[in-house]
Amino acid sequence: MSVKSPVDHTLDVEVSRALQAGLAAAIALMAFGAALALSGRPVSPAATPLAALLSALKTFDATAYLSLGIIVLLATPALRVVVILVHSARRRDWKLAGVAAFVLAVLAASLLLGRAE
Amino acid sequence: MTFAVFAFVGAAAGLLGALVGVGGGILIVPCLSLFLKVPIHQAIAASIVGVVATSTATAIRYVRDDMSNVRLGMTLETATTVGAVLGGATSAVLSREVLSAVFGVVMILVAGYMLKGRKKAGHAEEAEDPGPFGGSYHDPSLGRRVTYRVKRLGAGLTASFLAGNLSGLLGIGGGPIKVPAMTLFMGIPIKAAAATSNFMIGITACASAYVYYMKGFVAPSIAVPVALGVTAGAYGGAAVAPRISSSRLIGLFAAILGALAVQMLLAAAGIRLR
């Protein structure tokens, strides 16, 4: 007999699905980038800068697809927090929603910190 | 060949990480920098990517199987992410040798506490009422449902802050601090602690991952095979973990910590094994 409430179980399912989607997209992009690299396209030592990413993707640049795969993978943890925030807000679980919002704010701050350095 | 070597390192780290509830960073960074001569910042960046991959891959299974305590994990993450950001900001002040020495000492202490508290951590402190932060899951090795209550949340938050601090400094997930804190201080069963830690680790690593990406330390030719390898290893570890007894998990974890602590201390003193 489960002690966990149906609401919490639904949250677990939604988080799991978000993680699956993010991981699948990241792996697909990385695999495509690896295939381009194996076909002979060069791979840069550093990841493609965000500003140049879109144009590089259009030219099937191997580094760009590898970089985008990494970006999607690194965005997945934030995605799971967003799912928790939305779910808890929908259920009016304001304590959990507040916790999730705080964590998202800290992640956003770390991103800004990285840009400023 | 290099791609395959990086992928193998990732796979081995992912497998062991999934079994003991760490993100694999404690294995990836030493292997890449000490044995494969990867520059330390690129090794840390690749490790962070691998840590996020491990956490995501294992969290899918653990969350679905009710082992991850999302509510507790998110609460502890309020302290962990703040610690990670502050850790990244202070990393410029401390040298790599000092950081390695500090981490080596901490790993030895954690290994010792895990072995000392083995009996306690090996058996769930069960309760009928899980309370606001407790949880419940089915343990296949025991053949029944386990319900636990969380104690000493303050101590858990403090340990989470320290874990986040180390994560930002050294590019790891912080699991070696979080898991013992949950099992020894908060009374959480090892399997639930490992699953919850895996859920948290990716969020903690994310706090510093974008800093490394913006700084240009992420090398796709290293980070991608590490991430793909660790994902494959983590899936295998997640499938096997529920069938392994808690005592074996703790013993393996302590042995890994001890071995790596020696390496870190030697590296801090400028001594290389190879």
Side-chain angles (χ1 to χ4, degrees):
Chain A
M1 182 169 66
S2 172
V3 176
K4 186 169 287 189
S5 69
V7 170
D8 283 344
H9 182 71
T10 301
L11 171 61
D12 291 346
V13 171
E14 290 182 359
V15 168
S16 181
R17 285 177 179 164
L19 297 177
Q20 281 182 302
L23 186 61
I27 290 176
L29 288 166
M30 288 181 188
F32 185 67
L36 288 173
L38 289 172
S39 71
R41 291 175 180 264
V43 179
S44 302
T48 304
L50 291 177
L53 192 59
L54 187 58
S55 57
L57 289 170
K58 290 178 181 177
T59 62
F60 292 97
D61 181 78
T63 307
Y65 281 91
L66 293 173
S67 301
L68 184 57
I70 292 171
I71 289 171
V72 171
L73 178 66
L74 297 181
T76 303
L79 175 62
R80 76 177 89 158
V81 180
V82 170
V83 169
I84 293 170
L85 172 61
V86 171
H87 180 94
S88 53
R90 256 193 275 152
R91 303 291 178 184
R92 299 190 178 186
D93 185 348
W94 302 120
K95 286 183 180 177
L96 185 56
V99 166
F102 181 85
V103 172
L104 276 177
V106 174
L107 292 179
S110 73
L111 186 59
L112 293 174
L113 206 69
R115 283 182 175 177
E117 292 185 21
Chain B
M1 179 63 69
T2 303
F3 190 99
V5 172
F6 289 141
F8 176 78
V9 169
L15 177 65
L16 286 169
L19 290 176
V20 301
V22 299
I26 58 172
L27 298 173
I28 292 173
V29 173
C31 288
L32 291 180
S33 64
L34 294 176
F35 307 126
L36 297 180
K37 310 303 179 188
V38 174
I40 189 68
H41 288 98
Q42 289 186 349
I44 290 174
S47 169
I48 285 175
V49 175
V51 165
V52 174
T54 303
S55 172
T56 303
T58 55
I60 290 171
R61 183 182 181 89
Y62 281 128
V63 169
R64 195 171 62 237
D65 293 344
D66 292 344
M67 280 193 177
S68 288
N69 190 327
V70 175
R71 190 174 298 272
L72 174 65
M74 286 304 302
T75 302
L76 294 177
E77 273 301 316
T78 59
T80 311
T81 50
V82 172
V85 173
L86 292 177
T90 59
S91 65
V93 178
L94 298 176
S95 69
R96 180 61 61 192
E97 287 74 17
V98 170
L99 292 172
S100 297
V102 169
F103 197 51
V105 171
V106 169
M107 290 170 78
I108 289 175
L109 292 175
V110 170
Y113 275 123
M114 286 295 288
L115 289 174
K116 184 180 180 182
R118 185 167 174 158
K119 288 182 183 177
K120 182 178 181 181
H123 299 282
E125 292 194 6
E126 301 185 41
E128 290 185 1
D129 177 19
F133 294 103
S136 176
Y137 64 94
H138 178 75
D139 192 330
S141 66
L142 297 176
R144 59 181 174 82
R145 195 139 194 106
V146 174
T147 301
Y148 60 92
R149 193 179 180 91
V150 173
K151 302 183 297 184
R152 303 189 204 102
L153 182 61
L157 285 168
T158 301
S160 294
F161 177 84
L162 292 174
N165 214 247
L166 285 172
S167 175
L169 284 168
L170 300 175
I172 60 172
I177 306 297
K178 293 177 190 173
V179 174
M182 281 191 266
T183 58
L184 298 175
F185 298 140
M186 304 176 72
I188 298 172
I190 179 68
K191 289 181 180 176
T196 304
S197 174
N198 260 322
F199 173 84
M200 294 168 59
I201 283 173
I203 302 172
T204 305
C206 194
S208 57
Y210 280 105
V211 176
Y212 282 94
Y213 190 96
M214 294 300 185
K215 285 179 174 287
F217 290 136
V218 176
S221 58
I222 300 173
V224 168
V226 166
L228 292 177
V230 79
T231 301
Y235 264 119
V240 173
R243 296 171 178 80
I244 298 177
S245 71
S246 296
S247 296
R248 288 181 184 176
L249 281 175
I250 294 168
L252 176 64
F253 186 50
I256 290 172
L257 284 185
L260 289 172
V262 171
Q263 291 186 65
M264 294 292 278
L265 290 172
L266 289 174
I271 301 171
R272 302 286 180 181
L273 294 180
R274 293 189 58 200

